[in-house]
Amino acid sequence: MEILYNSTRGNDISVRASQAILKGLSEDGGLFVPDHIPALEKTLKELSEMDYRQVAYEVMRLFLTDYTEEELKDCIERAYDVKFDTEEIVPLKKAGEAYYLELFHGPTIAFKDMALSILPHLMITAARKNDVKNEIVILTATSGDTGKAALAGFAGVEGTRIVVFYPKDGVSVIQEKQMVTQKGDNTLVVGIRGNFDDAQSGVKQIFADRELAQEMAEKGFQFSSANSINIGRLVPQICYYVYAYGKLLRDGEIAEGETVNVAVPTGNFGNILAAFYAKNMGLPIGKLICASNENKVLYDFFRTGAYDRNREFRLTTSPSMDILISSNLERLIYRAAGNDADRNRELMAALGGQGRYEVTEEMKEALSDFYGNYATEEETAAEIRRLYEDYGYVIDTHTAVASAVYGKYAQETGDKAKTVIASTASPYKFTRSVMDALDTATGRGDEAKEDFALADELSALSGVKVPRAVEEIRTAAVLHKKVCEAWQMKDAVKEFLGIYTA
């Protein structure tokens, strides 16, 4: 059955999958959502016998219904190839009572590679299908990982340009170096003076600027997004949850049909929303454990039903989660409101105005699949030390947040269901924070050492080779030096496209 994509903020917008991917964001400011969640057509046993690419096809074909079999398989083969450092694509490692789904074996050593390796191919295919002649301008805000993964995916792709905005002092040294050394004449990286929410809000304002859209169209350009607001980012993320369940089944860790829980370190809410979609496709997922850092707006929301961004913004050692406006939550709110676009639009307007909204008790009931909690900076570091000391397994700060919150959930509820923890980044992406956390375990003092020296120490400690993504940027030249205020973002885009001269 064909799936159409509706806007979360309007009842009169309905497009095919390829059109939703090209647009990124609906004209009315809403996000595209499928008109229904399709059921898995293969049995769990059949899925357990497939490799990652085969599982990806079986999941994505159910959502991207206007792509042909040949088109979709070609996109998958191009995406999940030698760019990943393991044939398995996403290994599942057991440490203690949990299973860590390692989503960081792609070219930029973060989970964003899982979707951003395929999005450029989905988008170029969509452009051909819809006879698009304009050059596609990818506009993206990043809290650290999306930026490099998007740049790696779109650099050098004919018919596209990509602009990435990031908070100048809100990402790790490795994250920033990965972005500002990016090659490719079609790429631009800009640091903004502000936080991720400022960058994300600025991007949304640019998307909503109809005068700019008209001006760009006259010059042969049109915007799209590589952020997780693009449905072409969300759908590929569903695949790895289905694959993880199949691997547990294949390895004899669970019985067919046995319920498992999923714990996800959560910022913009896309990754855990993908797990929610997988559950609604029929995957036996029990509780969706939403893990926050000290920017615990989601924890407070699931506890009280009130989403309130009016609070202190904290810079933490898990910067990709330093977010107070979780954009993808809108898709869940829309669903909880009974797919009522008018009600959802009212709530989002309240968030944009007063900075808060509150859902009804009935809507809270619709969110019962989720459990929210958070980990402090101290708890995050302690979890990194615990896993290393007890199991010799090293995780990054974001994964540690999820692992610590899973521990709280298990203790609080007594739920002994097998649990998959989304391991969203390599520890090498946040080497200093990881090594600081391990100081107690190793007796080291690393304050004076630079991050790449710490990477070598982490390799010696963990027995895991320094990833190619880190080695490549050790001595790479900085190519992107532009920094601006949030209100100057539109001018930076126009200058890059040659339709404005500063």
Side-chain angles (χ1 to χ4, degrees):
M1 183 186 299
E2 184 179 21
I3 287 183
L4 295 177
Y5 289 81
N6 304 324
S7 169
T8 55
R9 300 191 190 181
N11 296 314
D12 56 350
I13 296 177
S14 186
V15 299
R16 297 190 305 274
S18 62
Q19 294 169 321
I21 288 171
L22 277 176
K23 290 175 180 290
L25 194 68
S26 174
E27 296 94 325
D28 58 10
L31 308 187
F32 286 114
V33 289
D35 58 13
H36 67 280
I37 304 293
L40 292 168
E41 293 184 356
K42 298 294 184 182
T43 67
L44 298 172
K45 181 72 163 57
E46 287 173 323
L47 290 165
S48 74
E49 295 167 351
M50 297 179 182
D51 66 21
Y52 190 83
R53 298 169 191 84
Q54 292 169 324
V55 170
Y57 173 72
E58 291 300 332
V59 172
M60 283 195 270
R61 72 177 180 85
L62 300 175
F63 284 94
L64 310 182
T65 51
D66 66 329
Y67 284 74
T68 67
E69 178 179 352
E70 181 182 7
E71 287 170 339
L72 192 50
K73 285 185 174 178
D74 180 64
C75 289
I76 289 168
E77 289 299 321
R78 289 174 182 271
Y80 306 115
D81 58 7
V82 294
K83 292 190 293 294
F84 288 79
D85 65 16
T86 169
E87 175 65 24
E88 200 172 5
I89 306 300
V90 283
L92 190 64
K93 302 283 182 67
K94 186 175 184 183
E97 298 304 310
Y99 301 84
Y100 293 79
L101 185 63
E102 294 187 345
L103 299 170
F104 53 77
H105 288 270
T108 74
I109 57 177
F111 84 101
K112 307 296 176 74
D113 289 326
M114 297 307 301
L116 284 165
S117 290
I118 194 168
L119 182 62
H121 304 293
L122 293 174
M123 197 167 281
I124 295 303
T125 303
R128 287 198 303 266
K129 293 173 76 66
N130 290 278
D131 200 28
V132 171
K133 305 299 183 188
N134 286 341
E135 193 166 351
I136 299 168
V137 180
I138 307 300
L139 192 60
T140 293
T142 184
S143 54
D145 288 336
T146 286
K148 176 57 181 180
L151 289 162
F154 283 95
V157 174
E158 190 175 347
T160 70
R161 298 196 198 188
I162 178 167
V163 184
V164 170
F165 293 100
Y166 74 97
K168 181 67 180 75
D169 298 312
V171 300
S172 77
V173 170
I174 299 291
Q175 284 178 312
E176 183 173 44
K177 191 76 184 286
Q178 281 187 307
M179 288 188 282
V180 298
T181 58
Q182 177 65 54
K183 297 178 181 178
D185 293 339
N186 68 330
T187 67
L188 174 68
V189 179
V190 182
I192 70 156
R193 299 182 186 95
N195 58 41
F196 171 72
D197 290 328
D198 297 322
Q200 183 168 249
S201 296
V203 164
K204 286 182 177 179
Q205 288 170 12
I206 294 171
F207 269 113
D209 190 328
R210 298 196 174 189
E211 186 178 322
L212 176 60
Q214 178 63 35
E215 190 176 355
M216 288 182 57
E218 291 170 1
K219 299 290 186 178
F221 299 109
Q222 69 184 64
F223 281 131
S224 190
S225 174
N227 276 98
S228 56
I229 57 175
N230 192 316
I231 199 69
R233 275 278 305 274
L234 186 60
V235 169
Q237 291 179 282
I238 301 169
C239 304
Y240 47 72
Y241 294 111
V242 177
Y243 178 79
Y245 188 94
K247 180 159 176 56
L248 287 173
L249 181 56
R250 181 170 69 247
D251 292 348
E253 297 290 335
I254 58 173
E256 186 171 2
E258 182 178 341
T259 297
V260 301
N261 295 328
V262 174
V264 186
T266 308
N268 221 17
F269 207 76
N271 201 358
I272 197 165
L273 184 67
F276 175 75
Y277 277 24
K279 176 182 172 87
N280 282 272
M281 293 181 79
L283 196 69
I285 293 176
K287 196 59 82 173
L288 296 157
I289 301 168
C290 179
S292 299
N293 63 17
E294 290 182 354
N295 292 292
K296 57 186 181 68
V297 63
L298 287 167
Y299 162 66
D300 291 335
F301 170 68
F302 284 117
R303 186 171 53 90
T304 67
Y307 192 100
D308 191 345
R309 65 176 174 86
N310 299 310
R311 62 184 68 208
E312 179 187 359
F313 181 89
R314 296 177 180 270
L315 290 173
T316 74
T317 55
S318 47
S320 297
M321 300 162 65
D322 289 345
I323 294 171
L324 295 181
I325 303 175
S326 300
S327 287
N328 274 288
L329 184 64
E330 179 172 346
R331 287 185 163 112
L332 182 65
I333 296 301
Y334 172 79
R335 183 181 176 94
N339 298 338
D340 184 338
D342 294 333
R343 177 63 180 138
N344 178 72
R345 189 169 58 250
E346 290 172 5
L347 294 171
M348 295 307 118
L351 180 63
Q354 296 84 42
R356 75 182 303 278
Y357 62 80
E358 188 163 356
V359 300
T360 64
E361 285 300 318
E362 184 181 10
M363 290 175 68
K364 276 183 71 175
E365 280 296 312
L367 306 176
S368 60
D369 287 334
F370 292 86
Y371 164 89
N373 213 320
Y374 73 101
T376 65
E377 288 288 86
E378 293 76 19
E379 289 169 335
T380 301
E383 188 67 3
I384 293 172
R385 286 195 297 273
R386 182 186 74 82
L387 280 172
Y388 173 72
E389 290 173 341
D390 292 353
Y391 307 105
Y393 187 59
V394 180
I395 57 174
D396 89 295
T397 46
H398 302 74
T399 307
V401 168
S403 190
V405 167
Y406 160 64
K408 292 183 179 184
Y409 169 79
Q411 185 173 24
E412 181 182 316
T413 65
D415 185 353
K416 297 189 182 303
K418 305 280 174 54
T419 297
V420 172
I421 295 175
S423 186
T424 53
S426 165
Y428 286 99
K429 199 140 191 172
F430 305 95
T431 313
R432 183 169 298 279
S433 295
V434 170
M435 291 301 288
D436 284 347
L438 292 175
D439 273 351
T440 302
T442 62
R444 297 163 189 265
D446 297 317
E447 293 81 2
K449 295 179 181 174
E450 57 93 25
D451 286 70
F452 293 99
L454 292 177
D456 293 330
E457 289 198 5
L458 179 57
S459 179
L461 197 68
S462 66
V464 176
K465 186 179 178 182
V466 177
R468 185 172 64 233
V470 175
E471 293 288 8
E472 288 175 346
I473 62 172
R474 279 184 191 263
T475 57
V478 173
L479 303 176
H480 301 271
K481 301 177 181 179
K482 191 174 185 65
V483 179
C484 72
E485 303 294 337
W487 59 267
Q488 296 174 309
M489 288 169 61
K490 182 168 81 168
D491 289 344
V493 173
K494 293 177 72 173
E495 184 180 1
F496 177 58
L497 298 179
I499 58 176
Y500 174 84
T501 304

